[in-house]
Amino acid sequence: MTRSERMQPIKSLADTRERDAGTVVAGARRVLEEREKQLEQLRAYRAEYAARAAQQGAADAVRLQNYHAFLGRLADAVRQQQELVEAARQDLERKTADWQQRRVEAASLGKVVERIARAARRRSSRPARHGRARAARAADARLTLARPLQAGRA
């Protein structure tokens, strides 16, 4: 088994880790998008509720108090959702950085494996060249040794 073949399982593991990290990034991106969508829905509902209450005009004290209390709860919900969005954004950034690191590792290992394989191919082709040269030198030596014998016979 060649060195590059021994390195291949390590390269495969790095590729798998990169793909897994990419899947995690995609999941974190979906979570962020969902939370941003929920935030927009809350903001739209708050704006719609405020507009509807303004259209209804004058209200008694209890109704006005309920209106302000509900707007306060909506504002709290919007703040909480903004915090969730920010946490999801930070999580996505961390997971993206992790994926990028794994991507660099996998690419580096790929280059190392390729370099090792290329060097092995060069080494394996050298003996053939050197073997042919050695065979040619041996043939020359045989001819050189055979000439004095032929000259002595003549």
Side-chain angles (χ1 to χ4, degrees):
M1 179 178 276
T2 66
R3 187 173 173 206
S4 63
E5 289 171 339
R6 288 191 309 265
M7 292 287 293
Q8 198 57 46
I10 297 168
K11 169 69 171 110
S12 296
L13 178 62
D15 289 341
T16 300
R17 289 177 65 186
E18 177 196 358
R19 275 191 305 277
D20 291 348
T23 302
V24 169
V25 168
R29 185 170 285 127
R30 277 191 300 277
V31 168
L32 175 60
E33 289 169 357
E34 289 170 10
R35 289 185 177 173
E36 286 174 335
K37 182 179 175 183
Q38 289 170 345
L39 177 61
E40 288 308 311
Q41 288 172 341
L42 278 171
R43 286 177 175 162
Y45 181 69
R46 183 181 60 189
E48 179 185 321
Y49 184 78
R52 200 171 349 130
Q55 286 177 350
Q56 289 178 354
D60 59 3
V62 172
R63 208 169 183 192
L64 194 56
Q65 191 176 21
N66 287 342
Y67 167 76
H68 285 292
F70 188 68
L71 275 182
R73 286 194 298 274
L74 274 176
D76 289 342
V78 167
R79 272 192 299 281
Q80 288 174 350
Q81 193 63 32
Q82 285 172 327
E83 290 170 4
L84 290 174
V85 165
E86 186 55 34
R89 185 172 285 118
Q90 290 172 359
D91 187 48
L92 175 61
E93 289 172 4
R94 278 191 305 277
K95 289 176 179 175
T96 300
D98 181 54
W99 168 72
Q100 288 172 336
Q101 179 180 356
R102 294 195 189 289
R103 185 174 172 209
V104 166
E105 289 170 1
S108 297
L109 275 171
K111 289 178 183 176
V112 166
V113 168
E114 178 55 36
R115 227 177 285 134
I116 290 170
R118 198 172 32 244
R121 285 190 301 269
R122 279 195 307 262
R123 278 193 305 276
S124 69
S125 68
R126 268 190 220 143
R129 286 193 310 245
H130 289 185
R132 285 191 298 265
R134 197 173 305 125
R137 284 193 304 272
D140 285 344
R142 281 193 303 274
L143 287 175
T144 304
L145 289 174
R147 278 190 203 128
L149 290 175
Q150 290 173 355
R153 289 185 194 159

